[in-house]
Amino acid sequence: GRLHILDILTDCIAAPRADYKPFVPRLVQIHIPKDSIGAVIGPGGKVIQEIQKQTGTTITITEDDQKGVFGVEKSAIDAALQRIKEIVAVPEIGETYHGKIKSIVPFGAFVEIMPGKEALLHISEIDWKRFETMEESGLKEGEMIDVKLIGVDEKTGKLKLSHRALLPKPEGYVERERRPRGDRERRRDDRHRD
């Protein structure tokens, strides 16, 4: 009887479908690192409630690794999973990000490359051209900019960005020699003495 049913089944559909139809309710389980669970939940559950409200899904996070997203439509689950992945994602050196300039300071701009993750775009990494002030760069708060993650400070863990690395090097460009740190400190001391 079982073999007869299997024969009839394969006449109807030769192989299982790669995925369910878009409107089939589904449950997807994902693993969230323990140190990122607080960021997904947010203060007083604000972040997780906002994701559920905007996507129309139900998100369950429990301590025994039964973390799941339940939704009635595939698009809703995909949207919720994307938001969670953005929160728990770890920036990678060499990757390019489309970020929002959150603030301008005299020595550069702080760019949000992922939700809640800001990094410094130093004034020297904006363009191949040298800027004396941030006003000369033309960057404004709220503006979107493409940046490349070029490093992480070993002592502080702060991220370093570059927009210059995404631009073609001007023909005949010669890198300025960097003065040794001791020379800069000596000049600063001389100015204080004057």
Side-chain angles (χ1 to χ4, degrees), residues 80-104:
L81 289 173
Q82 182 61 36
R83 291 279 306 275
I84 293 169
K85 286 176 183 173
E86 287 172 357
I87 294 168
V88 301
V90 177
E92 293 181 38
I93 293 175
E95 286 294 310
T96 301
Y97 299 94
H98 188 64
K100 184 177 187 177
I101 297 174
K102 299 298 273 185
S103 63
I104 304 279

Side-chain angles (χ1 to χ4, degrees), residues 101 103-111 119-139 145 147 150 159-165 167 173 175-176 178 184:
I101 297 174
S103 63
I104 304 279
V105 291
F107 51 88
F110 285 96
V111 181
L120 175 65
L121 173 60
H122 193 269
I123 192 169
S124 65
E125 290 294 338
I126 294 171
D127 202 323
W128 291 100
K129 185 177 127 187
R130 181 179 162 87
F131 296 119
E132 294 296 330
T133 64
M134 280 303 291
E135 288 78 26
E136 291 176 18
S137 74
L139 296 179
I145 186 170
V147 288
I150 57 170
L159 308 173
K160 300 175 189 175
L161 301 175
S162 176
H163 178 67
R164 178 174 90 155
L167 303 173
Y173 178 82
E175 190 79 47
R176 289 179 48 185
R178 293 191 179 265
R184 283 188 232 159

Side-chain angles (χ1 to χ4, degrees), residues 26-144:
R26 60 188 77 207
L27 173 69
V28 178
Q29 285 194 336
I30 59 167
H31 174 75
I32 301 170
K34 285 194 175 184
D35 58 345
S36 299
I37 291 174
V40 173
I41 294 172
K46 183 180 176 186
V47 175
I48 198 168
Q49 287 172 11
E50 184 182 315
I51 295 170
Q52 291 179 119
K53 185 178 177 185
Q54 289 177 351
T55 61
T57 56
T58 301
I59 302 169
T60 308
I61 300 177
T62 58
E63 295 207 18
D64 58 349
D65 285 343
Q66 298 298 312
K67 302 162 180 71
V69 180
F70 173 78
V72 179
E73 294 181 25
K74 183 180 186 320
S75 60
I77 287 185
D78 289 345
L81 289 173
Q82 182 61 36
R83 291 279 306 275
I84 293 169
K85 286 176 183 173
E86 287 172 357
I87 294 168
V88 301
V90 177
E92 293 181 38
I93 293 175
E95 286 294 310
T96 301
Y97 299 94
H98 188 64
K100 184 177 187 177
I101 297 174
K102 299 298 273 185
S103 63
I104 304 279
V105 291
F107 51 88
F110 285 96
V111 181
E112 185 177 49
I113 57 171
M114 291 178 170
K117 291 183 175 75
E118 290 184 20
L120 175 65
L121 173 60
H122 193 269
I123 192 169
S124 65
E125 290 294 338
I126 294 171
D127 202 323
W128 291 100
K129 185 177 127 187
R130 181 179 162 87
F131 296 119
E132 294 296 330
T133 64
M134 280 303 291
E135 288 78 26
E136 291 176 18
S137 74
L139 296 179
K140 304 273 185 256
E141 280 185 27
E143 188 179 335
M144 299 301 286

